[in-house]
Amino acid sequence: MAFNSSKTNLNIGLAQALTKTWGIAMKNIRSLLAASLCLAAPLAFAQNAVTIYGLIDLGVTHYSHTKPTGASLTRMDSGQAQGSRWGIRGTEDLGSGLNTIFLLESGFNADDGSSGQGGLLFGRQAYVGLQKKGLGTLTMGRQYDFMAGFGAQYAMGAQSAAGSLAWGLHADAAHGTLLNNHLYAGDRTNNSVKLESEKYAGFSAGAMYGFGEVAGDSKAGRAVSLRADYAGSRLGMGVSSVQTWDAAGQAAKRIGAVGFIYKFDSARAFGSWASATDVPSALKAKTYEIGVGALVTGSLDLSAAYQFQDRNHGVGNAKAFIAVADYLLSKRSDVYLSFVRGLDDGYNAYPVFGGGIQAANGQQSAIRVGLRHRF
């Protein structure tokens, strides 16, 4: 067979050229990738400061003596232990201990996929603000008043998975929420400015002002909330208040509360006193609560509480007993069994607020098994 040296030399030269070209291309690609990573670093840092989070709570609840016939009812309820929600929060480091912060939070019903809070896009919370290390935080937007934080620290509804099964008396549900003391999720206040200090020797304080935004009357529709707390290694104490004005600029609601929590090695005791007054009618309700809880094993938490509500103007009193067993499947998931027995001398009982059903008489029991997952 004839050997063509010129053709072979051509092939070798072509191969060498292609190899050289490939090496140059790869070098350029590596340089381009390195430059892209450098350019993307600030973006990646900003993205790392933004967190998408949420919570889904869903379960089955059985109610006794429901209106209007007094028959019992079993149904699936969303957001009883905690309201189902998703949100976005983030921070930007501005240097020298100063950060920009924001939070957007939307509620939903996991049983049917509908939006919560009347369909508002971010109906739970929506705010932006500044945070200074060693000083405190200033935020503006749609925010909870300080009764929400109070309830989260000192009330059975947040100290356990009872949730709505422990909010009925606090929310004055049987009386149409006229004397709601706001321990149930506080009151979301639009157009509000909130200032909170950092802790100093365990003490902290806060103030919030909600603009009524009525021309010519700075009092109309406004809200003012204050708090002071102490958080030690075992003992915690707090006081909170809220006052609101109606559209005519007249005082509408006055609410105040005092609470405590004491933490043992694997147990806790907590209690609160809250007073809510409807100023125009002079109606008042005082709600007392005492509770205990304990992590009896590494995964099982048991808790119980007793509530009593005293009302003026000859309206009957009310009481409730709540018990919860909460089993931790992981740090983010748990299954729970909750029970409440409510008795009301003045109204049809309504011990389960936030999705519950009013009783046809002065007593009602409810039991719920649920699954909660945080992400």
Side-chain angles (χ1 to χ4, degrees):
M1 181 177 69
F3 179 76
N4 191 333
S5 60
S6 61
K7 187 175 181 179
T8 301
N9 292 335
L10 179 62
N11 290 338
I12 293 173
L14 181 59
Q16 291 175 339
L18 288 172
T19 300
K20 184 176 180 181
T21 301
W22 176 258
I24 294 172
M26 289 303 296
K27 183 177 180 180
N28 290 337
I29 289 173
R30 286 194 295 269
S31 299
L32 180 61
L33 286 174
S36 299
L37 289 173
C38 290
L39 291 173
L43 177 60
F45 177 81
Q47 288 176 338
N48 288 337
V50 177
T51 302
I52 297 177
Y53 68 94
L55 182 149
I56 302 175
D57 174 54
L58 196 59
V60 176
T61 312
H62 178 81
Y63 303 89
S64 71
H65 304 96
T66 63
K67 292 181 72 172
T69 65
S72 61
L73 173 67
T74 301
R75 71 178 191 184
M76 181 174 290
D77 289 323
S78 171
Q80 292 280 26
Q82 288 182 272
S84 298
R85 85 286 301 262
W86 72 274
I88 307 169
R89 58 173 167 246
T91 64
E92 181 188 11
D93 188 353
L94 302 177
S96 301
L98 183 64
N99 292 277
T100 302
I101 61 173
F102 76 88
L103 186 143
L104 303 170
E105 189 171 271
S106 177
F108 64 91
N109 300 304
D111 55 338
D112 61 12
S114 60
S115 296
Q117 293 77 54
L120 294 176
L121 178 59
F122 295 112
R124 291 183 62 89
Q125 299 181 82
Y127 65 76
V128 65
L130 294 172
Q131 185 177 62
K132 176 67 174 178
K133 186 177 180 180
L135 186 59
T137 304
L138 175 69
T139 52
M140 302 176 291
R142 177 178 170 87
Q143 307 174 85
Y144 293 110
D145 64 36
F146 288 118
M147 297 305 297
F150 179 94
Q153 296 180 81
Y154 311 116
M156 178 68 173
Q159 280 294 318
S160 72
S164 293
L165 274 69
W167 292 131
L169 289 189
H170 287 295
D172 189 39
H175 190 208
T177 71
L178 180 67
L179 298 176
N180 185 346
N181 63 27
H182 291 194
L183 264 70
Y184 172 72
D187 188 30
R188 299 178 180 98
T189 305
N190 293 329
N191 316 307
S192 62
V193 178
K194 181 184 285 188
L195 178 64
E196 296 188 82
S197 74
E198 282 201 356
K199 292 180 181 179
Y200 299 97
F203 291 93
S204 64
M208 188 196 80
Y209 183 88
F211 292 90
E213 299 189 345
V214 176
D217 191 344
S218 61
K219 289 186 177 181
R222 75 174 180 175
V224 175
S225 183
L226 302 170
R227 76 161 179 88
D229 291 279
Y230 170 78
S233 59
R234 291 190 179 271
L235 176 65
M237 299 181 294
V239 57
S240 295
S241 68
V242 175
Q243 180 160 350
T244 63
W245 286 258
D246 61 22
Q250 302 299 311
K253 297 281 182 66
R254 291 195 183 103
I255 302 169
V258 178
F260 81 93
I261 183 169
Y262 190 87
K263 300 177 182 178
F264 302 90
D265 291 340
S266 58
R268 60 200 180 277
F270 52 90
S272 65
W273 169 89
S275 174
T277 301
D278 179 68
V279 178
S281 67
L283 289 172
K284 179 182 290 187
K286 298 178 181 178
T287 306
Y288 307 82
E289 178 176 317
I290 190 74
V292 293
L295 190 65
V296 296
T297 71
S299 300
L300 179 61
D301 186 88
L302 302 178
S303 55
Y306 175 78
Q307 300 171 342
F308 178 80
Q309 187 174 82
D310 178 33
R311 305 161 178 151
N312 68 349
H313 283 209
V315 179
N317 300 324
K319 57 186 73 73
F321 173 76
I322 308 105
V324 176
D326 188 9
Y327 187 79
L328 310 178
L329 300 173
S330 69
K331 291 183 178 180
R332 297 188 298 165
S333 299
D334 61 318
V335 292
Y336 58 87
L337 179 67
S338 302
F339 171 81
V340 61
R341 173 70 173 170
L343 300 172
D344 200 311
D345 298 331
Y347 305 100
N348 292 344
Y350 206 157
V352 182
F353 185 65
I357 302 173
Q358 192 165 14
N361 53 32
Q363 58 180 314
Q364 186 179 70
S365 298
I367 187 167
R368 172 179 172 82
V369 58
L371 171 64
R372 175 173 53 179
H373 176 71
R374 306 168 183 85
F375 61 89

